[in-house]
Amino acid sequence: MSCIFCKIAQKEIPSDIVYEDEEIVCFRDLEPQAPVHVLIIPKKHYESLDSVTESGEDKELLGHLMAKVHVIAARLGLENGYRLVNNCGEDGMQTVKHLHFHLLGGRQMGWPPG
Ligand code: AMP
């Protein structure tokens, strides 16, 4: 297995995990772009959002992940709001080919993003 986020999910390499359950892991980004910057990933490997299908399994997993976002945000003290970002593919500037959502907060965000 060469995927770095699979290795984080399997605890083969260290990370600063802030939330974990059967399906997902959330850990702090190595290069934080905000006072709070964590990555939420499914443990199951999907290369990107493009790999998600309309199967019941995928819908359940992604629905579960989305339903946990505000739980994680609250745990991290983001009472005043936050931003959830997915970079998909080349134009989206995705660098790690394992589906992940950036949860950013702790400061006022700008718009539009770069
Ligand atoms: P993206 O550009 O959307 O693919 O985001 C990948 C993110 O993963 C970047 O913000 C990196 O800083 C972060 N990252 C890469 N390797 C690690 C790692 N081992 N632990 C935590 N974050 C990582």
Side-chain angles (χ1 to χ4, degrees):
M1 179 187 17
S2 61
C3 171
I4 190 164
F5 286 180
C6 283
K7 286 181 176 162
I8 285 175
Q10 298 304 317
K11 316 279 170 50
E12 290 176 14
I13 61 171
S15 67
D16 188 354
I17 292 175
V18 299
Y19 176 84
E20 179 175 16
D21 63 30
E22 292 275 300
E23 310 289 344
I24 66 174
V25 188
C26 176
F27 52 95
R28 293 190 191 274
D29 197 292
L30 269 187
E31 295 181 41
Q33 303 300 314
V36 173
H37 184 179
V38 296
L39 302 172
I40 308 173
I41 68 168
K43 289 183 174 177
K44 179 180 172 185
H45 183 87
Y46 297 86
E47 186 168 314
S48 76
L49 212 45
D50 281 344
S51 313
V52 175
T53 73
E54 294 195 65
S55 71
E57 185 190 351
D58 286 2
K59 283 181 178 174
E60 197 172 318
L61 177 50
L62 269 291
H64 172 72
L65 188 154
M66 285 298 156
K68 287 296 179 190
V69 169
H70 72 94
V71 176
I72 294 167
R75 186 176 286 197
L76 294 171
L78 302 179
E79 290 90 5
N80 209 37
Y82 50 84
R83 180 167 289 168
L84 188 69
V85 174
N86 172 254
N87 297 324
C88 185
E90 204 179 321
D91 279 2
M93 297 282 286
Q94 181 181 1
T95 58
V96 176
K97 303 290 191 272
H98 181 124
L99 177 62
H100 55 280
F101 295 88
H102 298 254
L103 175 62
L104 300 128
R107 67 167 167 81
Q108 181 74 62
M109 297 295 154
W111 193 265

